[in-house]
Amino acid sequence: MKKGFKKKALKKAKNLLLDLLIVFIGVFLAFQLSAYREGNDVKKSRLNYYKAFRAEIKSVNVELTGIIAELDRQISRFHSDSLILQKPLLAYNNKINVVSQKPYIIESAFNSGNFRNLRYDLLASISGGSNLFIVLDEKIEDYNRRVKDLTYNRPYVESDYYTEIQLKPEYQWYLEEMKEVRVYATALKSSIENGAIPALNKLIDE
């Protein structure tokens, strides 16, 4: 009688353990499936972020192309043989303006965590333009402020600014700072084209 009871209890215990094991396996597989789906969602989200970030960087590059072209046009006027006959007007130029709030693109990229686990070379190539964004904006803002202070609410008289053949020494900054802005704009454009965009292309293709 006792043997029969023990057998039944043992069988019941085995069945219970088997049921628990089946439940455990089911729960484990459900968690694994959920994690797999979440992983895919994260990958898709990250990929979309990289693509959006690349599009923003490319739009910055277009802005820089326009700024550099305008700077080249203005600078060439000061170095032409016709400067003696026709002297460029010193005035605020709205085509030489700050790259619209683009430093925040890079800041948001790293704050989001999407770039935290990148290889150092990719990380450096993407973040390398961050300081250039900031410095270029500051250079352009400072330059435009000086031009506005110089020319606003003041009648423009050419002889106030020019000798017979060139800008007066006290106004040489107008041309020299324009050249300096071009240097930084060109460096940022190079950083985007040769660093950030290729790095993002690698991330998207991986």
Side-chain angles (χ1 to χ4, degrees), residues 76-94:
S76 67
R77 295 173 66 201
F78 283 91
H79 292 285
S80 67
D81 294 335
S82 62
L83 184 61
I84 297 173
L85 299 175
Q86 186 175 3
K87 297 172 176 61
L89 178 70
L90 274 61
Y92 168 69
N93 187 339
N94 61 12

Side-chain angles (χ1 to χ4, degrees), residues 31-153:
F31 274 117
Q32 289 294 99
L33 181 61
S34 176
Y36 173 77
R37 286 175 177 167
E38 286 178 4
N40 281 341
D41 289 343
V42 169
K43 286 179 182 178
K44 287 179 182 178
S45 175
R46 188 167 292 181
L47 182 61
N48 289 335
Y49 187 90
Y50 292 156
K51 288 179 178 179
F53 187 79
R54 182 178 62 182
E56 289 287 344
I57 290 294
K58 285 183 176 180
S59 76
V60 173
N61 207 37
V62 171
E63 287 186 59
L64 287 170
T65 300
I67 291 171
I68 292 169
E70 181 61 21
L71 287 167
D72 285 343
R73 190 177 75 84
Q74 293 294 332
I75 291 169
S76 67
R77 295 173 66 201
F78 283 91
H79 292 285
S80 67
D81 294 335
S82 62
L83 184 61
I84 297 173
L85 299 175
Q86 186 175 3
K87 297 172 176 61
L89 178 70
L90 274 61
Y92 168 69
N93 187 339
N94 61 12
K95 292 182 180 178
I96 303 172
N97 217 326
V98 293
V99 182
S100 50
Q101 298 183 0
K102 293 305 188 288
Y104 299 109
I105 298 172
I106 290 178
E107 289 177 14
S108 67
F110 290 99
N111 288 339
S112 71
N114 281 315
F115 291 156
R116 285 177 188 166
N117 299 317
L118 299 185
R119 297 197 316 268
Y120 175 77
D121 57 336
L122 292 180
L123 193 63
S125 64
I126 293 172
S127 63
S130 180
N131 288 338
L132 283 172
F133 271 120
I134 295 167
V135 172
L136 176 61
D137 274 6
E138 289 176 350
K139 290 287 182 185
I140 292 176
E141 284 180 348
D142 288 344
Y143 178 71
N144 284 338
R145 183 171 58 252
R146 289 194 72 182
V147 173
K148 288 176 181 178
D149 289 344
L150 178 67
T151 59
Y152 274 26
N153 299 319

Side-chain angles (χ1 to χ4, degrees), residues 8 87 90 94 173 182 197:
K8 285 182 180 180
K87 297 172 176 61
L90 274 61
N94 61 12
W173 63 264
R182 190 194 183 284
I197 291 177

